[in-house]
């Protein structure tokens, strides 16, 4: 028994021989990819510097960016070893690609190394920027780590419907292998601070256009992915704001009629009147409340019609992920037309209906 115990201790010590202290490794939280004039890789890697000291002397974690160049992503990643301690990439939260890089090589080329790497998290969020990724990851104070801030604001979807559901590295890889068209959240620097700025439309790995934050809100209404935010409408000639509480029903059906694709989309949403500039407001009256609901529904339908028109005529591709409903509900049709999804979507017909229910109007409901 004593010999077994000694053997166990020896094995434990050998197993710990390869372990490293946190201070001896570099924790990677974000990467930015730009392209040189000839398409070579310009890589920015954001490393966390752990907080130091204790008690009143403790400091917040900060960061340091390392810049490398190479003919491939792998070469650029490896060259960081010439500058700092071994990098742990399994904590990476964001991957940022400049539009310039995507103009030179398609997105599937740029993510190839990250998909193959066992240590890169498939849950890392993917972003595009029309600025340089290097500049994006260099914006902010030393304590306000850019990668963390980007990750946090991308998850504010419950506060604003102008934010697209964050897309992960794994999801990007899957979409590139399916219909090939989707949208990626865009980043920019506004008034010296990092900000979300609509989305970049990606088709077959290449950027084909930019959607504004308002476009994104309309897109979210089209696909029924509204988790929060505000709808601005007009009631009796004055502005009114409807605060979204939650979507209570979403139904998307597809049908093939005379060889043509049809979408029937029906949504139901509850919320409150957050603001009303009409001075003779009386939300206690059922008729007035119903008129407000109809005004909001009218605005949502107009917004959805606008985004459908833009998708079908400007981008000519279905970035909204509606192909999944066709794939599930009409597998034979999808198998036959999946390679020409852009054309099929552009010619599809839509029947869209939304029901708005006001369940709260704040502490002020009547002027009388």
């Amino acid at each position: 028994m004593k010999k077994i115990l000694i053997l166990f201790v020896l094995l434990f010590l050998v197993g710990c021989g390869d372990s490293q202290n946190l201070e001896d490794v570099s924790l990677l939280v974000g990467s930015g990819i730009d392209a040189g004039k000839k398409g070579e890789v310009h890589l920015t890697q954001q490393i966390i510097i752990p907080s130091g000291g204790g008690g009143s002397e403790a400091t917040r974690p900060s960061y340091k960016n390392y810049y490398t160049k190479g003919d491939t992503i792998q070469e650029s990643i490896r060259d960081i070893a010439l500058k700092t301690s071994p990098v742990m990439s399994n904590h990476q939260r964001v991957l940022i690609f400049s539009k310039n890089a995507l103009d030179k090589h398609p997105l599937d080329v740029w993510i190839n190394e990250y998909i193959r790497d066992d240590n890169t998290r498939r849950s890392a969020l993917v972003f595009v920027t029309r600025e340089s990724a290097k500049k994006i990851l260099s914006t902010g104070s030393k304590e306000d780590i850019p990668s963390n801030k980007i990750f946090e604001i991308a998850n504010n979807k419950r506060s604003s419907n102008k934010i697209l559901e964050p897309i992960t590295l794994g999801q990007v890889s899957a979409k590139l292998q399916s219909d090939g068209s989707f949208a990626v959240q865009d980043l920019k620097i506004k008034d010296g601070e990092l900000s979300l700025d609509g989305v970049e439309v990606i088709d077959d790995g290449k950027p084909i256009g930019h959607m504004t934050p308002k476009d994104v809100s309309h897109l979210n209404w089209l696909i029924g992915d509204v988790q929060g935010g505000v709808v601005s409408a007009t009631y009796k000639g004055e502005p009114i704001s409807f605060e979204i509480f939650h979507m209570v029903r979403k139904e998307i059906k597809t049908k093939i009629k005379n060889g043509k694709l049809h979408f029937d989309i029906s949504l139901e949403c509850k919320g409150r009147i957050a603001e009303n500039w009409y001075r003779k407001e009386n939300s206690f009256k059922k008729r007035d409340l119903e008129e407000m609901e109809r005004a909001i529904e009218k605005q949502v339908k107009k917004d959805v019609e606008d985004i459908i028109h833009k998708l079908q005529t400007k981008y000519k591709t279905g970035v909204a992920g509606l192909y999944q409903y066709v794939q599930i509900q009409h597998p034979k049709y999808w198998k036959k037309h999946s390679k020409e999804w852009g054309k099929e979507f552009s010619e599809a017909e839509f029947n869209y209906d939304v029901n708005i229910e006001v369940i709260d109007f704040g502490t002020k409901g009547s002027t009388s």
Side-chain angles (χ1 to χ4, degrees), residues 22-23 27 48-54 57-63 145:
L22 190 62
E23 293 80 5
L27 298 178
I48 289 285
I49 300 174
S51 57
E57 297 180 356
T59 58
R60 294 176 60 187
S62 58
Y63 72 94
I145 301 169

Side-chain angles (χ1 to χ4, degrees), residues 34-249:
D34 295 299
K37 291 182 179 180
K38 296 181 179 180
E40 68 274 19
V41 179
H42 288 196
L43 180 67
T44 303
Q45 291 188 291
Q46 192 154 89
I47 306 297
I48 289 285
I49 300 174
S51 57
S56 60
E57 297 180 356
T59 58
R60 294 176 60 187
S62 58
Y63 72 94
K64 183 174 181 179
N65 288 344
Y66 288 91
Y67 310 104
T68 53
K69 298 179 182 180
D71 292 330
T72 64
I73 295 283
Q74 177 66 201
E75 181 185 2
S76 303
I77 290 174
R78 292 288 180 169
D79 279 357
I80 197 176
L82 304 175
K83 300 181 179 183
T84 186
S85 52
V87 173
M88 289 181 63
S89 60
N90 51 358
H91 292 279
Q92 184 164 215
R93 306 182 91 183
V94 300
L95 272 169
I96 305 165
F97 299 90
S98 69
K99 181 181 178 295
N100 176 54
L102 298 184
D103 285 337
K104 294 193 180 323
H105 301 292
L107 185 54
D108 49 301
V109 170
W110 289 114
I111 68 169
N112 186 274
E113 193 281 337
Y114 296 108
I115 292 297
R116 291 172 182 266
D117 183 14
D118 291 338
N119 293 318
T120 300
R121 296 169 61 179
R122 295 293 185 98
S123 59
L125 302 185
V126 176
F127 299 88
V128 174
T129 180
R130 296 200 161 203
E131 309 199 35
S132 76
K134 176 181 178 180
K135 189 176 180 181
I136 290 290
L137 286 175
S138 303
T139 300
S141 65
K142 280 297 179 182
E143 291 75 27
D144 195 11
I145 301 169
S147 292
N148 288 347
K149 181 174 182 179
I150 292 167
F151 184 87
E152 289 162 4
I153 60 177
N155 285 284
N156 283 343
K157 192 170 172 62
R158 291 191 177 276
S159 298
S160 174
N161 57 345
K162 295 179 180 179
I163 300 175
L164 195 70
E165 184 69 27
I167 189 168
T168 66
L169 175 62
Q171 290 170 332
V172 166
S173 177
K175 287 179 180 295
L176 285 167
Q177 296 175 56
S178 55
D179 73 316
S181 60
F182 53 97
V184 180
Q185 194 75 58
D186 219 328
L187 294 168
K188 75 172 184 178
I189 299 169
K190 185 177 181 180
D191 300 326
E193 293 187 329
L194 293 172
S195 173
L196 299 178
D197 183 38
V199 296
E200 201 70 35
V201 179
I202 307 294
D203 187 38
D204 196 25
K206 305 287 284 186
I208 61 170
H210 175 79
M211 286 188 182
T212 68
K214 273 196 172 184
D215 288 338
V216 173
S217 71
H218 303 168
L219 185 65
N220 280 328
W221 274 109
L222 170 62
I223 60 178
D225 190 21
V226 179
Q227 300 174 22
V230 170
V231 176
S232 295
T234 301
Y235 171 66
K236 294 187 182 296
E238 298 291 348
I240 186 173
S241 286
F242 172 73
E243 182 183 357
I244 302 158
F245 282 174
H246 54 270
M247 190 75 67
V248 295
R249 182 177 60 84

Side-chain angles (χ1 to χ4, degrees), residues 141-367:
S141 65
K142 280 297 179 182
E143 291 75 27
D144 195 11
I145 301 169
S147 292
N148 288 347
K149 181 174 182 179
I150 292 167
F151 184 87
E152 289 162 4
I153 60 177
N155 285 284
N156 283 343
K157 192 170 172 62
R158 291 191 177 276
S159 298
S160 174
N161 57 345
K162 295 179 180 179
I163 300 175
L164 195 70
E165 184 69 27
I167 189 168
T168 66
L169 175 62
Q171 290 170 332
V172 166
S173 177
K175 287 179 180 295
L176 285 167
Q177 296 175 56
S178 55
D179 73 316
S181 60
F182 53 97
V184 180
Q185 194 75 58
D186 219 328
L187 294 168
K188 75 172 184 178
I189 299 169
K190 185 177 181 180
D191 300 326
E193 293 187 329
L194 293 172
S195 173
L196 299 178
D197 183 38
V199 296
E200 201 70 35
V201 179
I202 307 294
D203 187 38
D204 196 25
K206 305 287 284 186
I208 61 170
H210 175 79
M211 286 188 182
T212 68
K214 273 196 172 184
D215 288 338
V216 173
S217 71
H218 303 168
L219 185 65
N220 280 328
W221 274 109
L222 170 62
I223 60 178
D225 190 21
V226 179
Q227 300 174 22
V230 170
V231 176
S232 295
T234 301
Y235 171 66
K236 294 187 182 296
E238 298 291 348
I240 186 173
S241 286
F242 172 73
E243 182 183 357
I244 302 158
F245 282 174
H246 54 270
M247 190 75 67
V248 295
R249 182 177 60 84
K250 178 176 82 169
E251 189 175 43
I252 300 179
K253 292 182 178 180
T254 61
K255 59 185 178 184
I256 313 300
K257 191 174 180 181
N258 297 325
K260 197 170 186 178
L261 183 61
H262 291 250
F263 286 94
D264 289 311
I265 302 175
S266 179
L267 308 177
E268 185 176 344
C269 182
K270 293 185 178 182
R272 78 180 183 102
I273 300 300
E275 190 174 4
N276 187 351
W277 287 24
Y278 181 59
R279 298 176 66 191
K280 296 181 180 180
E281 166 197 3
N282 191 344
S283 299
F284 292 111
K285 285 187 177 181
K286 184 179 179 181
R287 180 178 175 180
D288 287 4
L289 200 60
E290 288 177 345
E291 286 180 356
M292 292 182 211
E293 292 172 339
R294 300 298 83 79
I296 297 161
E297 290 170 358
K298 181 180 178 181
Q299 184 62 52
V300 171
K301 288 179 181 179
K302 180 184 179 302
D303 293 343
V304 169
E305 287 173 2
D306 289 346
I307 198 64
I308 290 173
H309 178 74
K310 186 172 286 188
L311 289 172
Q312 291 186 320
T313 60
K314 182 177 180 179
Y315 304 114
K316 297 183 179 180
T317 185
V319 302
L322 293 173
Y323 78 93
Q324 298 173 71
Y325 296 92
V326 181
Q327 190 177 32
I328 294 170
Q329 297 172 15
H330 303 281
K332 290 183 179 179
Y333 178 90
W334 173 252
K335 187 176 181 180
K336 182 179 179 181
H337 298 283
S338 60
K339 299 299 182 182
E340 49 191 26
W341 169 239
K343 178 178 179 296
E344 294 299 311
F345 177 85
S346 297
E347 296 176 354
E349 292 188 359
F350 284 81
N351 179 36
Y352 185 88
D353 185 61
V354 61
N355 180 54
I356 297 294
E357 183 180 355
V358 175
I359 58 174
D360 185 8
F361 40 78
T363 57
K364 181 180 183 297
S366 173
T367 56

